[in-house]
């Protein structure tokens, strides 16, 4: 026999809850595995990871350049180095964690994860990434370069 979901009056079965939690937990497991790998295989040592194709072909740093070094520093507990390697990626780790917790809580309650952002927010994110990319490639923005 199931238990009544709080506030909905519906009866939720444990198997249904497990099924709802499977995707967010699976995503967390995949991300944790990726971070564990990057934490154990240092991207600061040459030969472990491929070079960014944009950087290799043009010499221009993309918004993701330094992301692996940032992840390595983050997972090993050096937040300052993580921010220096790629500030946008480091902010993204915290943003991912917040959205993941929200997703998990909503899945537990049987509610879908709906983050409705107006197009202006997506344009804003794109503008921030573009400005970050341009500034980190200019001489005065070298502090943002990995």
């Amino acid at each position: 026999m199931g238990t009544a979901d709080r506030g909905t009056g519906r009866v939720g079965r444990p198997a249904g809850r497990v099924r709802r939690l499977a995707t967010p937990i699976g995503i967390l497991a995949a991300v944790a595995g990726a971070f564990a790998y990057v934490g154990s295989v240092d991207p600061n040592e040459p030969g472990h990871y491929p070079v960014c194709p944009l950087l290799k072909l043009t010499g221009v740093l993309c918004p993701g350049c330094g992301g692996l070094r940032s992840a390595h520093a983050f997972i090993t507990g050096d937040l300052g180095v993580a921010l220096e390697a790629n500030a946008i990626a480091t902010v993204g780790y915290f943003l991912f964690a917040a959205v993941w917790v929200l997703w998990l809580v909503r899945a537990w309650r049987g509610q879908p994860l709906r983050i409705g952002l107006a197009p202006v927010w997506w344009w804003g994110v794109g503008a921030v990434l573009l400005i970050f990319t341009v500034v980190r490639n200019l001489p005065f923005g070298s502090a943002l370069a990995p």
Side-chain angles (χ1 to χ4, degrees):
M1 186 128 307
T3 58
D5 285 346
R6 195 176 288 175
T8 64
R10 293 181 299 177
V11 174
R13 295 199 171 106
R17 181 168 283 160
V18 168
R19 189 173 51 248
R20 289 191 313 263
L21 295 175
T23 302
I25 290 173
I27 295 294
L28 180 64
V31 169
F35 267 84
Y37 181 79
V38 172
S40 64
V41 180
D42 191 353
N44 294 303
E45 296 176 14
H48 292 295
Y49 299 97
V51 177
C52 171
L54 183 67
L55 180 62
K56 187 174 185 173
L57 294 172
T58 66
V60 174
L61 296 167
C62 76
C65 282
L68 286 172
R69 284 172 276 182
S70 173
H72 178 76
F74 187 82
I75 199 70
T76 57
D78 198 344
L79 188 58
V81 171
L83 284 165
E84 288 174 10
N86 190 318
I88 292 286
T90 305
V91 170
Y93 308 146
F94 289 108
L95 184 61
F96 170 81
V99 170
W100 184 84
V101 168
L102 176 66
W103 186 14
L104 187 68
V105 167
R106 292 187 64 84
W108 179 265
R109 294 178 178 168
Q111 301 168 336
L113 176 66
R114 291 196 182 122
I115 302 175
L117 293 178
V120 69
W121 285 100
W122 293 111
W123 282 102
V125 168
V128 166
L129 289 173
L130 179 63
I131 292 167
F132 176 73
T133 303
V134 170
V135 169
R136 75 190 315 213
N137 283 288
L138 295 174
F140 65 86
S142 63
L144 294 175

